[in-house]
Amino acid sequence: MAADRQWVFGYGSLVDLERLAVFLGRELPPEEVVFGRLRGFRRTWNVATDNRLDLPGYKIYLDPETGEQPAAFVTFLNLRRVANEEAVNGVAFRVSEEELERIQGRERNYRLTEVTRHWQPEGADRGRPGRLLTSLGRPEARARFAEGRKSGRAVVRPSYRQIVHGAFRNRGRGWWREYRATTDPPDVPERALERVELA
């Protein structure tokens, strides 16, 4: 793993390399992709977007049947720190500064945080990145989830969950089992919502 540029660790939908390549607008050569794990973390569903707000350049979610914008708190995956040696599986990919800015713009519920010392690549000869970042939920995003859960308005989009599950299933049964073992199931209901990008 080359150390001259920054790397980002994806643990949810970014594990889908085809979708990641579309987002980045380029192919990902093998030397810029390393599968592995982050030690000391566990996945959980505890960050949310307040769908009542229209934020320019971001997105909203509409009911596909009525076209209405429900007052929901749309919930996403996050990582939480754990004291034991548990580790989450995912993918590290190399990014430019411009791509890093685009990822941060996409991940507004999160703050890119350095996790280099937690990285454990698959295979003994893949090395360590110079700097590895991952998206950790911002306090305000976790507070939005807590508000939504308390009010009964926090929901998970089944289409998002299916993208995440598909990404791990496509890596093989072992990766899928590992994902399930290191991920807290969401304790809020699902609701079909259609994502709409705002200009």
Side-chain angles (χ1 to χ4, degrees), residues 121-182:
E122 280 194 340
D125 60 345
R126 299 308 295 268
R128 296 175 67 87
R131 188 172 188 235
L132 179 67
L133 307 170
T134 198
S135 298
L136 299 183
R138 294 177 180 272
E140 57 268 31
R142 298 197 305 271
R144 284 193 292 269
F145 169 75
E147 179 185 348
R149 186 171 177 271
K150 184 176 180 180
S151 65
R153 291 184 288 148
V155 298
V156 170
R157 293 170 61 229
S159 55
Y160 170 74
R161 184 181 55 79
Q162 289 161 9
I163 289 170
V164 174
H165 288 188
F168 284 90
R169 283 193 174 111
N170 289 341
R171 283 285 299 164
R173 292 177 66 183
W175 260 61
W176 169 237
R177 286 196 299 267
E178 189 174 337
Y179 166 86
R180 294 185 66 186
T182 58

Side-chain angles (χ1 to χ4, degrees), residues 27 32 34 57 70 85 95 107 110 129 164 181 191:
E27 293 299 315
E32 295 191 0
V34 181
E85 285 301 306
V95 293
E107 306 276 276
Y110 306 86
V164 174
R191 179 172 180 177

